Amino acid sequence: MLALATRLLREPVSHRLAEEFLTVPVDTIDRCVADVCACAQHLGITATPEIVERVAREHLLAIVNSAPPPRSHR
């Protein structure tokens, strides 16, 4: 039952973030959302969609902002 509840929480959050982070692979977004859910559960925090989305968004922003710039042709 917990797995179903977690999946129902994760799918809409992953979908919204995938629409926002077009350059990040969907698998990476799904894994990030799952990691946030697991971390919240481990810490005993209620993983609401809002909290999961906010924390996952911060992680994804860090991924995007840490990527090296595209190489230019000389």
Side-chain angles (χ1 to χ4, degrees):
M1 190 69 166
L2 181 60
L4 176 61
T6 302
R7 190 184 68 178
L8 291 175
L9 171 116
R10 290 187 341 215
E11 286 179 359
V13 171
S14 290
H15 181 72
R16 284 192 298 273
L17 291 171
E19 290 177 341
E20 184 175 340
F21 293 93
L22 299 175
T23 60
V24 178
V26 175
D27 290 346
T28 301
I29 293 170
D30 290 342
R31 189 170 51 251
C32 180
V33 171
D35 289 349
V36 171
C37 288
C39 186
Q41 182 181 6
H42 175 74
L43 294 172
I45 299 170
T46 302
T48 65
E50 294 81 15
I51 290 173
V52 171
E53 185 171 344
R54 191 174 338 148
V55 174
R57 180 177 286 110
E58 290 299 321
H59 289 184
L60 293 167
L61 282 170
I63 290 169
V64 169
N65 291 332
S66 68
R71 298 179 81 175
S72 60
H73 294 97
R74 293 183 196 191

